[in-house]
Amino acid sequence: MARRALITGITGQDGSYLAELLLEKGYEVTGMVRRSSTVTFERISHIQDRLTLVPGDLLDEASLIEVLRSHRPHEVYNLAAQSFVQTSFGQPVLTGETTALGVTRLLDAIRLVDPDIRFYQASSSEMFGKVVEVPQNERTPFYPRSPYGVAKVYGHWITVNYRESYQLHATSGILFNHESSRRGLEFVTRKISHGVARIKLGLDDELRLGNLEAQRDWGYAGDYVEAMWLMLQQDAADDYVIATGETHSVREFCELAFGHVGLDYEDFVVQDERFFRPAEVDLLVGDASKARAVLGWKPKTSFEELVHLMVDADLALLSDRGRPGR
Ligand code: NAP
Ligand code: G4F
């Protein structure tokens, strides 16, 4: 009998890669989607006929219970969240309702419907915030710097709490930034790769960014969803850091991305106050040695490959819209 998985957030970047991976592994994949006035299935349109999409929302516990009752998954991957840090400053309550309390609603629904379900929580390196040690591992104390980070700390601890209180197989994957050509356009990596392509094709003259000195441990999303699956195949639930172990600044990302198309970022990047944050996370770099030892997981895509694949994908996406290029 095929194993059944439920993915919340299936329309997002990670949801689309995880759905592909689970289909490849022979799972029956159900994706929970929320109501919207326009279709948001762009990232999963190529596999939509192999998925079962069901309505539900992390803000509505009855909808979660109904999804679990009707589809009886063996594994639940909770990827849904208000995931953009900048938005969390403007919408802190919505972020808390979705990204924090949404986790409790889903865990409670699992406890009520089928406590044997294995649960994955999409925790974040943003929880480390103003880091108290370098690199960060599973024992590093949290110091979140945004309403999003605070909400993720809650989501992490409620996952641990349901594991310890009700013996749920509930795992928290603490993933460092991971990117791809399917990354939302508001996140800095995709904003840069898309901006580079637009400039190269003569569609724009500048790229407005915020803090260029922030450093992140950037990996490739396709590599990271495999770690999620591996975590739920372990006999016991636990917490794992997933990261490359390398850190690079936004400035370096710009240098490489513009350099890839023969341009100098200094000719095009303009710093703009609007994109700075009330509190910044200056430096993230993860230590994924536990994941390597226990899960046998390691990243496959280098930073340079990641930057190049994102720029190439945006050039291909936009090339039919371009004027004679630079
Ligand atoms: P994403 O592209 O922003 O996707 C977020 C998903 O959540 C979308 O499918 C969205 O649906 C859904 N969603 C939002 N609010 C919802 C609600 N109230 N009910 C149900 N679904 C809702 O995020 P991602 O980059 O794939 O990240 C996946 C998860 O990993 C998130 O929890 C994120 O916080 C976490 N994370 C991401 C990273 C990273 O670097 N990517 C690192 C660490 C942790 P719509 O399509 O309808 O908007
Ligand atoms: O791409 P970002 O918006 O990602 P951020 O804030 O690191 O959050 C992402 O990674 C987290 C994991 O640590 C996830 F949990 C979260 O869901 C999300 O996926 O910003 C990265 C850095 C920041 O320091 C920001 O200040 O880039 C800096 N930055 C500079 N200019 C900018 C810009 N960020 C954005 N989005 N837009 C800019 O113009």
Side-chain angles (χ1 to χ4, degrees):
M1 192 188 63
R3 283 188 71 74
R4 293 183 296 275
L6 170 71
I7 304 175
T8 73
I10 195 165
T11 55
Q13 171 189 256
D14 291 6
S16 67
Y17 285 108
L18 181 64
E20 281 173 7
L21 180 83
L22 295 178
L23 286 173
E24 267 169 38
K25 292 186 181 295
Y27 280 70
E28 286 173 14
V29 180
T30 299
M32 191 182 86
V33 294
R34 58 181 175 157
R35 196 265 159 187
S36 155
S37 68
T38 50
V39 175
T40 57
F41 300 165
E42 197 178 326
R43 295 185 178 101
I44 49 170
S45 55
H46 59 297
I47 48 172
Q48 208 177 319
D49 56 346
R50 298 165 66 201
L51 303 170
T52 305
L53 299 180
V54 294
D57 198 304
L58 283 189
L59 301 178
D60 187 322
E61 186 160 348
S63 72
L64 305 177
I65 293 172
E66 177 55 27
V67 170
L68 294 178
R69 278 204 186 127
S70 324
H71 295 275
R72 303 308 303 239
H74 302 102
E75 298 172 12
V76 171
Y77 295 85
N78 183 34
L79 308 188
Q82 189 306 94
S83 75
F84 189 40
V85 171
Q86 185 101 38
T87 291
S88 79
F89 287 103
Q91 299 179 6
V93 175
L94 175 77
T95 302
E97 284 287 353
T98 310
T99 305
L101 280 179
V103 188
T104 309
R105 292 190 191 97
L106 189 50
L107 283 164
D108 245 349
I110 288 173
R111 185 170 70 85
L112 293 170
V113 175
D114 179 3
D116 287 333
I117 289 172
R118 293 185 174 199
F119 175 79
Y120 173 85
Q121 167 57 14
S123 292
S124 166
S125 52
E126 185 72 13
M127 301 191 300
F128 297 121
K130 189 169 178 178
V131 297
V132 302
E133 67 178 338
V134 180
Q136 298 85 51
N137 63 36
E138 294 80 4
R139 293 173 307 286
T140 302
F142 301 136
Y143 190 153
R145 293 274 279 172
S146 62
Y148 169 82
V150 173
K152 282 289 181 186
V153 171
Y154 175 94
H156 169 82
W157 281 116
I158 202 70
T159 301
V160 174
N161 182 258
Y162 271 56
R163 178 162 83 214
E164 294 176 352
S165 304
Y166 307 114
Q167 289 71 52
L168 295 191
H169 193 294
T171 280
S172 174
I174 305 172
L175 272 51
F176 282 63
N177 298 51
H178 45 281
E179 319 294 315
S180 72
S181 56
R182 297 183 200 166
R183 187 59 143 150
L185 286 166
E186 67 275 36
F187 298 94
V188 78
T189 55
R190 183 76 198 287
K191 186 172 169 183
I192 296 168
S193 64
H194 198 256
V196 165
R198 286 185 64 83
I199 289 169
K200 181 70 184 171
L201 295 169
L203 296 166
D204 266 335
D205 293 322
E206 63 174 27
L207 175 62
R208 302 187 85 84
L209 296 173
N211 178 13
L212 302 183
E213 311 314 330
Q215 288 175 268
R216 290 291 182 276
D217 181 330
W218 278 299
Y220 174 57
D223 295 345
Y224 283 38
V225 295
E226 195 182 1
M228 298 177 187
W229 175 77
L230 284 167
M231 287 179 215
L232 292 207
Q233 310 317 305
Q234 305 307 305
D235 290 339
D238 205 343
D239 309 323
Y240 297 93
V241 159
I242 299 297
T244 71
E246 270 183 39
T247 192
H248 299 273
S249 64
V250 173
R251 188 182 294 281
E252 278 176 83
F253 198 106
C254 289
E255 231 172 332
L256 259 181
F258 279 91
H260 187 51
V261 297
L263 300 176
D264 182 345
Y265 80 97
E266 290 189 286
D267 295 335
F268 301 100
V269 171
V270 179
Q271 282 197 283
D272 186 329
E273 283 303 317
R274 285 179 303 157
F275 300 111
F276 282 78
R277 293 171 182 181
E280 179 61 286
V281 172
D282 295 317
L283 164 73
L284 292 174
V285 56
D287 170 4
S289 44
K290 177 175 169 185
R292 185 184 282 257
V294 179
L295 307 176
W297 179 88
K298 59 176 192 310
K300 298 181 184 130
T301 311
S302 72
F303 177 64
E304 197 174 13
E305 284 166 345
L306 173 68
V307 176
H308 291 175
L309 77 82
M310 290 181 71
V311 172
D312 289 341
D314 277 321
L315 275 172
L317 182 75
L318 294 172
S319 53
D320 55 338
R321 291 184 228 167
R323 296 196 289 272
R326 282 172 211 276

